[in-house]
Amino acid sequence: MINLLLFPIIIPFFFAMILMFFKEQVVVQRVLTLIGLALSLVASFWLIATVKTEGIQTVTLGSWPAPFGITMVSDMFSALLVTTTIIITIFVVIYSFSSIGVERERFFYYPAILFMITGINGAFTTGDIFNMFVFFEVLLIASYLLIVLGGEKRQLRESIKYILVNVISSAIFVIAVAYLYSIIGTLNMADISVKIAEINQPGIISVIAILFLIVFGIKGAIFPLYFWLPNSYAAPPIPILALFGALLTKVGVYAITRTYTLFFVHDIGFTHQFLMVLALLTIIAGCIGALAYFDLKQIIIYNIIIAVGVILFGVAQMNTSGLEGAVYYLLHDMLIKGALFVLIGIIIYATGTSNLREMGGLIKTHATLGWTYLIAAFGLAGIPPLSGFIGKVLITKGAFEADHVIGSIIILASSLVVLLSVIRIFIYAFWGPQKNELPVRDQRTYRQMMFPAIMLVLITVAYGVGAEWLMPYMTDAANVLADPSIYINAVLKE
């Protein structure tokens, strides 16, 4: 029972290794991938139930006592993130069957996805700061394969930038961990928190906190470190973009949230104020990008950047409402971005272009796609009772409680910009006269692509409408973030 929290990491890893032996058998790869993800999902739901009834689950590898061994920790925050990751991956994999192309599928596409999920779930679950670096590298190496898969010229050009930026950020990560270790003498995250409290966070620890913010900020795409993201994410095919957009930046956001609520908590006037300013600048930069482009992919990619800012603004408040909102909005954004990227992939498939100026009149031929997209767009913008609304309300409530009125106004104004950016896609693509002759497409393929899109949108609607039922889980997650002692006691068994 105690190793339950390792299952969502071990199962994808195990299936990824098996898939390496079936390079040419695409159907076998598809079936095994879905079986592996389904088993992981069952394990993660079971894990959420266990954490809810029995509290935080920990396992220290090699039976060493914490903080000497490598500890894996599953609190409600990480368990919810792990489950959401697996749900999105299942639907993106189903979408891939009809959209990625057999050539890419033959080239270790599914093993790469499963290795990436191993790294993501490991990063969410680890209780050791160096081990987090290791899991970051696992997911990055898999993402390097995915971003170049197919070898198109644009992919190869953008992948060089993507790999270079991530190699540099990984180097800074190791340096930051080394500095922290030289002062604190431990890598266990709960133990780091205790040791920093003992020395009352001197200035050098605040400097290290900013170093960590730079590292995770590059991965999470905060201002001004997001420069690499829009073009790099737009290069690979849509299913890979959906996985990157929904999951990869969120690992950076999670890492900032975990470190800034667990151990860099004694100099909030400096560290969290700095985080809040960067979060607001990130929102503004994302809003400008979302309105500036007429390319479907770029508009939704800049919406990723806006959401990163909104979530981190909630984290920076360091009060229960702000943290509850941040947790809720983080999960909402993962689901809604997965749905939206899949939907714009279908729009691009139907029209043969990603340029809004060349689209029009799709509502006559693809009505289901149009209305599904509109629901997802409203969810992203935070129209009640959809899921984006609840998270933003809680975050702004936390901001008002902390007397950050200007930040609240920026967040509410950003909702209008998000609404404008996604409604513009709807008006250009679905309304108005048809600009160009639509390419002839196979209706069966189109229906196969619509299934995961509709399912993801339905999940986001249920996530908003069922908020009352889900709030106890969000509160549990926020409580651990708001009160580090819960986490520390669970890990160090004090």
Side-chain angles (χ1 to χ4, degrees), residues 258-310:
R258 181 63 82 193
T259 52
Y260 271 61
T261 55
L262 185 59
F263 36 83
F264 302 128
V265 292
H266 304 281
D267 188 11
I268 288 177
F270 173 66
T271 51
H272 289 60
Q273 209 66 27
F274 187 65
L275 176 62
M276 188 171 69
V277 170
L278 285 185
L280 292 173
L281 289 171
T282 305
I283 294 169
I284 294 164
C287 287
I288 293 166
L291 293 180
Y293 283 90
F294 274 86
D295 182 272
L296 277 181
K297 291 181 183 178
Q298 295 288 8
I299 293 168
I300 306 295
I301 286 168
Y302 273 100
N303 271 295
I304 297 173
I305 295 165
I306 298 171
V308 167
V310 172

Side-chain angles (χ1 to χ4, degrees), residues 20-226:
M20 304 287 269
F21 298 104
F22 295 99
K23 182 172 179 286
E24 297 300 321
Q25 287 107 308
V26 171
V27 177
V28 175
Q29 287 207 47
R30 290 174 177 180
V31 172
L32 285 175
T33 305
L34 282 181
I35 291 170
L37 289 168
L39 290 172
S40 305
L41 188 62
V42 171
S44 68
F45 274 126
W46 191 12
L47 182 57
I48 287 178
T50 309
V51 172
K52 185 74 184 148
T53 51
E54 297 175 21
I56 298 175
Q57 300 294 300
T58 64
V59 54
T60 306
L61 305 177
S63 299
W64 287 82
F68 305 109
I70 292 175
T71 307
M72 303 298 281
V73 186
S74 195
D75 60 355
M76 189 55 80
F77 185 37
S78 72
L80 289 169
L81 283 168
V82 163
T83 307
T84 310
T85 298
I86 296 166
I87 290 170
I88 291 163
T89 309
I90 287 173
F91 288 111
V92 173
V93 163
I94 294 170
Y95 176 73
S96 300
F97 294 167
S98 50
S99 64
I100 194 79
V102 174
E103 280 312 304
R104 282 190 171 95
E105 286 181 293
R106 278 212 185 100
F107 222 84
F108 304 112
Y109 172 66
Y110 296 114
I113 288 179
L114 291 178
F115 279 128
M116 192 167 83
I117 299 308
T118 304
I120 292 169
N121 287 348
F124 288 150
T125 311
T126 185
D128 181 286
I129 194 73
F130 186 77
N131 207 27
M132 184 183 275
F133 166 76
V134 173
F135 280 120
F136 265 69
E137 292 310 297
V138 171
L139 73 91
L140 283 172
I141 289 165
S143 75
Y144 297 157
L145 169 59
L146 287 171
I147 201 169
V148 298
L149 201 60
E152 290 168 15
K153 188 177 176 184
R154 185 184 180 194
Q155 278 180 272
L156 296 172
R157 186 181 68 238
E158 291 302 334
S159 68
I160 294 167
K161 181 166 59 176
Y162 175 77
I163 292 169
L164 197 62
V165 165
N166 277 300
V167 166
I168 292 167
S169 88
S170 295
I172 303 170
F173 194 173
V174 174
I175 292 164
V177 170
Y179 277 148
L180 189 63
Y181 185 74
S182 69
I183 295 162
I184 304 297
T186 181
L187 294 170
N188 182 291
M189 280 149 70
D191 203 34
I192 290 170
S193 182
V194 173
K195 297 280 199 298
I196 289 177
E198 284 169 4
I199 57 174
N200 201 19
Q201 191 157 341
I204 185 69
I205 297 288
S206 298
V207 173
I208 291 169
I210 300 302
L211 253 184
F212 273 108
L213 185 60
I214 292 168
V215 171
F216 300 140
I218 293 172
K219 307 228 189 284
I222 65 171
F223 181 88
L225 305 166
Y226 68 87

Side-chain angles (χ1 to χ4, degrees), residues 22 40 180 316 333 372 393 457:
F22 295 99
S40 305
L180 189 63
D333 194 64
T372 309
V393 164
V457 172

Side-chain angles (χ1 to χ4, degrees), residues 296 344-355 358-359 362 436-441:
L296 277 181
I344 64 162
I346 301 170
I347 296 172
I348 293 167
Y349 174 78
T351 57
T353 176
S354 64
N355 186 344
E358 294 172 13
M359 296 180 189
L362 268 182
N436 298 322
E437 193 66 36
L438 292 180
V440 179
R441 299 297 192 197

Side-chain angles (χ1 to χ4, degrees), residues 371-387:
W371 300 122
T372 309
Y373 171 79
L374 192 64
I375 293 166
F378 283 161
L380 180 70
I383 306 288
L386 298 169
S387 53

